[in-house]
């Protein structure tokens, strides 16, 4: 067998691939990053999409100022100005994550489509170069998930028309679009759909959201053992029920019309517009946007040569992120790719003994109110407790919910909508935490560390109080309320505490004599 060229070869096309290459090089591994030449444009489009969400938030902030009587709210900005600003942001951020930065870290950068070859030994071919490595990491770019017949409740004509007429977010953000369409229909099942729907509505469009909330949208079979996949965590159907209700109610309050996706029976074009047949009649829109959750783009990698087989629901990996070829690791969810890549690098460079826990991947939806969720939902926590025989009359899982208006920062900024929901075992071990409210995503790092380190509720209750109001204050407030609720459920402990205080008071009286 010829000598190996590298310790790790990364077949990239995503930001996660570039970060993984730098991280592996910092561990003194010999690393090569093979990236297709189309990746740069895809990364810029992803940045523009995130910028669009933030611009929508700024518009909502100005609206709140107008409600407080502090500012006059004018009409939304022109679409051309929005596109120009998003392009400026994409240019600035591209410099920080460019291939030149990756190469400066000591990574061998190869631009070109890489593909596996099998003989005489497993390797990667990129252009005229042949590369071999001890381990490989697949972190490709993403593409919009194709529509499936199940999305249309068996209506194959609607599916065929949808595939023909619907635009992807990349096509929608094309510079050729000089103005924002007045009427837009957004189809999807996850975070991307609701984010785009709210942002486009705040930019001045009349938006109809076709949301796929069917139970078959939730896959529990993506990993061995029937666990939730990282990709399924980004679907609205997987949200905690209270979060989902608040999210949909907020979108409807904004003026977005929401319909279950399976109620769409007909789609056809008419005079440059698109007509949709919905339960309460036909609707005409100027643009139909396919905002289904992105999936990894495995095309062109020649996975068959590496003995990797793609299933109907995607590429299956073990909890260590190894494929059926133990030398090859893979990131299977674009939204969780950066967390997956970090773990895969550790397993590839050292020993594959670290496991991914999909339930600990945070889910963030950049709407207003923002949605942030990590850990088990209330239904999942009670189901797990019941299966393990620990749910004694429903007392094993203790849930505490606190309205977001109790957070000083939310009140000061006139954004009281939302709540914090803490789910924990009776012994205080945190199982899940779900936030909806102003800047809710800012608190997720704290909660993620708490869950990964198996912290108890008392750790959140002891969070230091910031000098200025912060979103994280709601975590401490909810943890304290959870402790008070738990104490109220323990009459014996209350009796003991009362006895203890009485003893202390009596000793104080004797000391004063």
């Amino acid at each position: 067998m010829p000598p190996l060229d590298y310790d790790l070869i990364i077949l990239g096309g995503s930001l996660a691939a570039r970060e993984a290459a730098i991280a592996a090089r910092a561990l003194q591994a010999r690393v090569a990053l093979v990236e297709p030449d189309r990746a740069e444009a895809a990364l810029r489009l992803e940045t523009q999409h995130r910028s669009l969400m933030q611009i929508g938030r700024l518009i909502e902030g100005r609206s709140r100022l107008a409600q407080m009587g502090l500012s006059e709210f004018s009409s939304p900005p022109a679409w051309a100005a929005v596109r120009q600003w998003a392009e400026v942001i994409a240019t600035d951020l591209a410099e920080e994550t460019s291939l030149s930065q990756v190469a400066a870290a000591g990574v061998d950068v190869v631009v070109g489509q890489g593909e596996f070859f099998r003989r005489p030994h497993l390797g990667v071919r990129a252009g005229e170069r042949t590369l071999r490595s001890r381990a490989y990491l697949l972190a490709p770019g993403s593409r919009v998930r194709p529509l499936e017949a199940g999305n249309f409740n068996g209506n194959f004509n609607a599916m065929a028309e949808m595939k023909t007429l619907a635009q992807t977010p990349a096509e929608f953000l094309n510079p050729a679009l000089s103005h924002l369409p007045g009427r837009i229909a957004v189809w999807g099942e996850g975070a991307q759909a609701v984010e785009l729907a709210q942002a486009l509505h705040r930019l001045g469009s009349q938006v109809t959201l076709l949301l796929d909330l069917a139970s078959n949208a939730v896959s529990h079979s993506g990993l061995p053992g029937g666990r939730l996949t990282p990709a399924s965590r980004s679907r609205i159907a997987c949200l905690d029920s209270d979060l989902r209700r608040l999210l949909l109610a907020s979108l409807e309050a904004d003026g977005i019309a929401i319909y279950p996706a399976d109620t769409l029976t007909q789609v056809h074009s008419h005079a440059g517009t698109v007509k949709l047949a919905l339960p309460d009649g036909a609707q005409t829109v100027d643009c139909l946007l396919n905002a289904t959750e992105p999936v990894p783009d495995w095309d062109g990698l020649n996975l068959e040569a590496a003995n990797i087989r793609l299933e109907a629901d995607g590429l299956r990996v073990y909890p260590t992120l190894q494929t059926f070829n133990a030398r090859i690791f893979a990131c299977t969810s674009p939204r969780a790719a950066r967390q997956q890549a970090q773990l895969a690098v550790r397993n590839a460079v050292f020993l594959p003994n670290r496991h991914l826990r999909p339930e600990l991947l945070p889910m963030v939806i950049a709407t207003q109110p923002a949605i942030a969720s990590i850990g088990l939902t209330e239904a999942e926590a009670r189901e797990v407790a019941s299966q393990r025989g620990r749910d004694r009359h429903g007392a094993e899982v203790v849930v505490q919910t606190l309205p977001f208006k109790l957070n000083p920062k939310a009140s000061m900024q006139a954004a009281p909508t939302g709540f914090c929901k803490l789910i924990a075992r009776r012994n205080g071990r945190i199982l899940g935490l779900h936030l909806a409210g102003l800047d809710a995503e800012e608190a997720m790092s704290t909660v993620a560390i708490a869950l990964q380190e198996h912290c108890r509720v008392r750790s959140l209750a002891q969070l230091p109080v910031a000098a200025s109001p912060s979103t994280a204050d709601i975590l401490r407030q909810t943890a304290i309320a959870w402790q008070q609720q738990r104490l109220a459920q323990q009459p014996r402990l209350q009796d003991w505490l009362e006895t203890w205080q009485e003893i202390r008071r009596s000793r104080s009286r004797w000391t004063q004599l």
Side-chain angles (χ1 to χ4, degrees), residues 43-231:
L43 291 177
R44 291 179 67 87
L45 281 172
E46 182 181 346
T47 303
Q48 291 175 23
H49 169 83
R50 294 201 302 266
S51 300
L52 193 64
M53 305 302 104
Q54 298 303 320
I55 292 172
R57 284 186 167 191
L58 290 174
I59 294 174
E60 195 274 339
R62 292 181 61 189
S63 177
R64 280 190 276 119
L65 283 175
Q67 293 173 7
M68 297 163 63
L70 301 177
S71 173
E72 292 295 330
F73 181 66
S74 59
S75 59
W79 176 246
V82 171
R83 290 275 299 112
Q84 183 178 3
W85 176 248
E87 184 67 26
V88 170
I89 296 300
T91 301
D92 291 343
L93 294 181
E95 295 177 1
E96 301 298 325
T97 59
S98 63
L99 288 179
S100 59
Q101 296 287 344
V102 178
V107 177
D108 188 3
V109 176
V110 180
V111 177
Q113 179 63 53
E115 63 174 358
F116 285 105
F117 66 88
R118 182 181 306 176
R119 295 178 180 177
H121 303 284
L122 180 65
V124 170
R125 184 179 293 109
E128 298 180 356
R129 293 191 59 179
T130 299
L131 313 173
R132 291 184 175 86
S133 175
R134 178 170 53 86
Y136 302 85
L137 172 60
L138 307 181
S142 60
R143 58 183 176 84
V144 174
R145 184 171 59 85
L147 297 172
E148 301 169 355
N151 299 132
F152 295 89
N153 201 20
N155 192 326
F156 295 97
N157 291 331
M159 179 184 68
E161 290 292 330
M162 185 77 167
K163 286 183 175 180
T164 303
L165 300 174
Q167 298 182 29
T168 65
E171 293 169 339
F172 182 79
L173 292 174
N174 192 296
L177 184 65
S178 59
H179 66 280
L180 186 65
R183 299 165 298 178
I184 301 176
V186 180
W187 170 288
E189 80 289 357
Q192 180 170 246
V194 294
E195 289 172 350
L196 278 172
Q198 189 178 69
L200 293 173
H201 171 75
R202 288 179 174 166
L203 287 170
S205 290
Q206 180 182 339
V207 178
T208 299
L209 178 59
L210 304 170
L211 198 56
D212 188 357
L213 293 174
S215 58
N216 61 3
V218 183
S219 172
H220 293 263
S221 59
L223 291 174
R227 303 191 307 172
L228 279 169
T229 67

Side-chain angles (χ1 to χ4, degrees), residues 2-9 30-31 129-134:
L4 300 176
D5 305 307
Y6 301 98
D7 298 307
L8 179 64
I9 292 178
R30 288 183 295 173
V31 185
R129 293 191 59 179
T130 299
L131 313 173
R132 291 184 175 86
S133 175
R134 178 170 53 86

Side-chain angles (χ1 to χ4, degrees), residues 162-454:
M162 185 77 167
K163 286 183 175 180
T164 303
L165 300 174
Q167 298 182 29
T168 65
E171 293 169 339
F172 182 79
L173 292 174
N174 192 296
L177 184 65
S178 59
H179 66 280
L180 186 65
R183 299 165 298 178
I184 301 176
V186 180
W187 170 288
E189 80 289 357
Q192 180 170 246
V194 294
E195 289 172 350
L196 278 172
Q198 189 178 69
L200 293 173
H201 171 75
R202 288 179 174 166
L203 287 170
S205 290
Q206 180 182 339
V207 178
T208 299
L209 178 59
L210 304 170
L211 198 56
D212 188 357
L213 293 174
S215 58
N216 61 3
V218 183
S219 172
H220 293 263
S221 59
L223 291 174
R227 303 191 307 172
L228 279 169
T229 67
S232 67
R233 277 290 172 187
S234 65
R235 291 169 174 162
I236 304 302
C238 284
L239 278 178
D240 184 86
S241 58
D242 292 335
L243 275 185
R244 186 167 61 249
R245 280 193 293 269
L246 177 64
L247 174 62
L248 298 182
S250 299
L251 295 175
E252 289 180 335
D254 281 351
I256 298 173
I258 303 177
Y259 295 90
D262 57 6
T263 61
L264 178 64
T265 55
Q266 290 185 6
V267 182
H268 63 274
S269 60
H270 176 72
T273 62
V274 180
K275 282 197 171 184
L276 311 174
L278 294 166
D280 54 0
Q283 282 198 18
T284 302
V285 296
D286 302 311
C287 175
L288 185 56
L289 190 57
N290 177 14
T292 53
E293 285 300 288
V295 294
D297 187 2
W298 307 116
D299 293 342
L301 297 180
N302 193 20
L303 298 179
E304 295 81 3
N307 294 323
I308 300 176
R309 185 177 67 255
L310 281 174
E311 305 288 346
D313 55 352
L315 180 63
R316 296 198 180 191
V317 294
Y318 291 96
T320 56
L321 295 180
Q322 290 171 294
T323 63
F324 292 120
N325 186 325
R327 294 172 57 191
I328 300 177
F329 299 77
C331 300
T332 58
S333 169
R335 281 198 173 255
R338 298 171 77 175
Q339 293 94 329
Q340 289 181 313
Q342 292 174 4
L343 185 141
V345 165
R346 302 287 297 187
N347 284 342
V349 174
F350 298 109
L351 295 175
N353 55 6
R354 298 176 181 235
H355 289 192
L356 180 73
R357 299 171 60 188
E359 68 275 10
L360 296 188
L361 293 174
M363 175 183 179
V364 174
I365 304 178
T367 53
Q368 185 60 37
I371 302 295
S373 175
I374 190 170
L376 301 179
T377 65
E378 181 177 354
E380 291 169 346
R382 296 196 185 282
E383 181 182 357
V384 170
S386 178
Q387 291 176 351
R388 295 180 178 178
R390 295 179 176 178
D391 198 9
R392 303 171 185 174
H393 309 290
E396 172 63 22
V397 176
V398 181
V399 180
Q400 177 64 51
T401 303
L402 213 62
F404 217 82
K405 64 182 180 181
L406 297 180
N407 183 4
K409 180 179 178 180
S411 298
M412 293 175 184
Q413 298 194 22
T417 304
F419 63 86
C420 178
K421 185 174 185 178
L422 174 60
I423 304 168
R425 290 180 183 167
R426 290 189 305 166
N427 62 7
R429 181 173 175 180
I430 303 171
L431 299 176
L433 198 140
H434 311 281
L435 275 169
L438 178 69
D439 298 332
E441 71 278 11
E442 301 296 338
M444 269 298 100
S445 298
T446 301
V447 182
I449 294 174
L451 265 71
Q452 291 171 5
E453 298 300 323
H454 306 290

